[in-house]
Amino acid sequence: MSEDRATTDSCDCLIVGAGPAGMAAAVELARAGRDVLVADENPAPGGQIYRNVAAGAPASIFGAEYVAGRPLVEAFAASGARHAAATTVFLIERRDDGGFDVALSHAGAARLVRAKTVLIATGALERPFPIPGWTLPGVITAGAAQTLLKQSALAPDAPVVLAGTGPLLFLLAAQYARAGISVAALLDATPKRNFRGALGKLPGFLASDNFAKGLRLIGEAARSTRLVRGVTALVAEGEGRLERVRFVAHGREETLEARALLLHQGVVPQIHLAMSAGVPHRWSEARLAFEPERDGDGATPVDGLFIAGDSGAIAGAEAARAAGRLAGLAIAARLGARAEASALDAARAAHAKALRGRAFVDALFRPADHFRKPADDVIVCRCEEVTAGAIRDLAQRGAQGPNQAKAFSRAGMGPCQGRLCGLTVAELMAEARGESVAAIGHMNIRAPVKPVTVAELAALARQD
């Protein structure tokens, strides 16, 4: 239900994000009689996975797994949890009494909400994919293209080329084919050596529900478009906008005409809000991402702050849903609700089942080093137009990590606050200094984590 602004100055739990994890947690907390407020940037609940599902998007295009999210959206709407749509959370600050002040922005107005507990369920964002020409108009991410299709039934102008690595490329190619949208080619840049590295993790994947789904999806994509495997180089070209995609596969160079290039090399947790709230993060070499520290129920070292779903570690919609339910039960117990051991056990079992085979997917679709750490002349920070070479030069001149690189080059100081360059800068610095990314660390993230106006900040000061 819509939130009543007059009653949102406090709540038992504020949930950031109305995707699978956030909605599942809200349902459990509301069932336990807790006052829940869910703040989400989108106009309707669902997140990226179930975006616009309540509006009746067809299973014939998006698949049964997508439509399976509709009952969760309906349960969330009927739960009694308050929903602040089109609302950005830009600050989470610990209070002296043990609760939290959470700053929300909606339609240019900001306000503070006092919450006893907070659950961050902001999901994932796409990993940076800096190639020559990726700043040209006509080059977007595959996730952005899928958002256009789900939210507005829109597709880029043909010819369309998909490129990179990861399950989303095959899913989008299949969805485009079902919608009657032609794809000129899918350029698969999955490194050949990944197949050998993933073999040891294959048994877990074979035992999961995703094995058969994955085979069907790859087969459908291959039947609907030209599938080029073994891509080792990729360049977007054009005068003022994308006109061509040049690539190398199996040692042969080829050029394709293109009006749209949809890039993807996996997703990583959205960590900025958790980092700004003081949650410690660790580098995962297996998943090539910074991930927050948390226990099996989602509790972080910041007392009262929980994280669930892909904002903790990438595992997909089913795992996010199970993790959200588990976190909701744990938070409800913390707030005084009677914990049903059977419900907690069932949620933990569902979460463990959903994670089955994930290690194989992570190993198989690990992005190639040279696509994550590009040549010197490639822009890595789009906001401030900082090149990979500039970052390497700073490292060689003595800059010790991403924060010094940020201070000297402005990389990460733009509107995205490092979302599109933070990982790349960290990996470039680590490579140039001969250190691990874990040792180099991530850019420091401070509130506000999203752009806000001075008027909004002043309004918060008057409310404090």
Side-chain angles (χ1 to χ4, degrees):
M1 59 185 270
S2 298
E3 56 113 359
D4 177 359
R5 182 172 176 177
T7 63
T8 58
D9 58 324
S10 65
C11 61
D12 289 326
C13 182
L14 190 141
I15 299 175
V16 190
M23 290 189 294
V27 169
E28 293 299 333
L29 282 159
R31 184 179 292 137
R34 301 299 139 181
D35 179 20
V36 186
L37 173 62
V38 181
D40 187 74
E41 293 184 348
N42 295 306
Q48 175 66 1
I49 297 294
Y50 301 137
R51 181 180 297 277
N52 212 31
V53 69
S60 59
I61 293 177
F62 297 110
E65 289 81 10
Y66 169 74
V67 179
R70 191 172 294 148
L72 178 58
V73 173
E74 292 169 351
F76 171 63
S79 69
R82 289 177 284 140
H83 177 214
T87 298
T88 297
V89 173
F90 62 88
L91 175 148
I92 298 174
E93 191 172 72
R94 192 71 185 274
R95 294 178 55 82
D96 292 339
D97 61 9
F100 298 89
D101 281 331
V102 184
L104 282 65
S105 173
H106 172 74
R111 69 183 189 281
L112 281 176
V113 174
R114 294 183 178 180
K116 294 178 182 177
T117 58
V118 170
L119 171 64
I120 296 176
T122 47
L125 51 79
E126 286 182 271
R127 181 188 300 278
F129 197 166
I131 63 168
W134 76 313
T135 59
L136 283 171
V139 182
I140 63 173
T141 68
Q146 191 186 52
T147 296
L148 287 172
L149 187 63
K150 288 179 176 178
Q151 188 71 41
S152 306
L154 294 175
D157 291 338
V160 177
V161 175
L162 278 64
T165 185
L168 179 59
L169 287 175
F170 296 96
L171 175 60
L172 184 58
Q175 290 173 342
Y176 271 4
R178 298 168 196 165
I181 300 163
S182 177
V183 174
L186 194 165
L187 308 179
D188 185 1
T190 304
K192 190 175 181 179
R193 66 177 180 274
N194 285 11
F195 292 89
R196 294 191 297 272
L199 277 178
K201 302 171 178 64
L202 183 57
F205 185 64
L206 291 174
S208 74
D209 296 335
N210 293 321
F211 175 66
K213 293 177 187 176
L215 286 181
R216 287 196 300 269
L217 193 62
I218 292 172
E220 185 179 356
R223 289 190 298 272
S224 66
T225 188
R226 178 189 174 197
L227 176 57
V228 181
R229 296 192 182 276
V231 173
T232 55
L234 189 63
V235 179
E237 298 178 333
E239 298 298 325
R241 65 152 295 123
L242 178 71
E243 296 172 352
R244 299 171 302 278
V245 176
R246 182 161 49 89
F247 67 94
V248 175
H250 306 293
R252 296 178 56 187
E253 184 175 284
E254 185 176 344
T255 300
L256 296 173
E257 290 186 8
R259 293 281 292 174
L261 173 60
L262 313 183
L263 294 173
H264 182 75
Q265 56 175 352
V267 294
V268 296
Q270 291 205 49
I271 59 174
H272 281 57
L273 191 58
M275 275 194 168
S276 72
V279 177
H281 285 65
R282 294 178 179 173
W283 173 255
S284 168
E285 186 60 29
R287 290 176 290 275
L288 297 172
F290 289 98
E291 298 173 348
E293 294 182 16
R294 55 188 180 138
D295 67 15
D297 294 344
T300 74
V302 177
D303 191 35
L305 195 155
F306 290 68
I307 296 175
D310 281 353
S311 48
I314 304 303
E318 285 304 311
R321 188 171 180 165
R325 182 172 182 240
L326 184 53
L329 290 167
I331 295 170
R334 176 188 173 88
L335 293 170
R338 182 179 176 180
E340 296 288 343
S342 60
L344 281 167
D345 289 344
R348 288 172 181 144
H351 189 224
K353 181 181 178 182
L355 292 175
R356 196 181 299 162
R358 186 68 210 183
F360 173 82
V361 175
D362 293 336
L364 179 62
F365 293 113
R366 183 184 178 92
D369 288 353
H370 66 278
F371 281 133
R372 302 191 328 270
K373 296 171 281 189
D376 284 350
D377 60 345
V378 176
I379 289 175
V380 294
C381 174
R382 299 168 63 113
C383 298
E384 300 293 336
E385 298 187 336
V386 181
T387 65
I391 300 300
R392 289 189 176 102
D393 181 61
L394 286 171
Q396 291 163 2
R397 290 164 57 192
Q400 297 181 4
N403 292 299
Q404 281 193 325
K406 181 178 182 180
F408 294 141
S409 70
R410 294 189 56 83
M413 285 191 180
C416 89
Q417 290 292 285
R419 285 172 180 80
L420 284 176
C421 70
L423 273 178
T424 308
V425 170
E427 290 206 83
L428 287 170
M429 293 289 294
E431 179 186 62
R433 291 185 57 82
E435 300 180 34
S436 68
V437 183
I440 286 290
H442 194 277
M443 293 177 182
N444 291 334
I445 306 299
R446 299 181 178 88
V449 299
K450 293 288 182 73
V452 292
T453 65
V454 173
E456 287 176 285
L457 294 176
L460 291 184
R462 291 194 294 271
Q463 294 173 46
D464 194 14

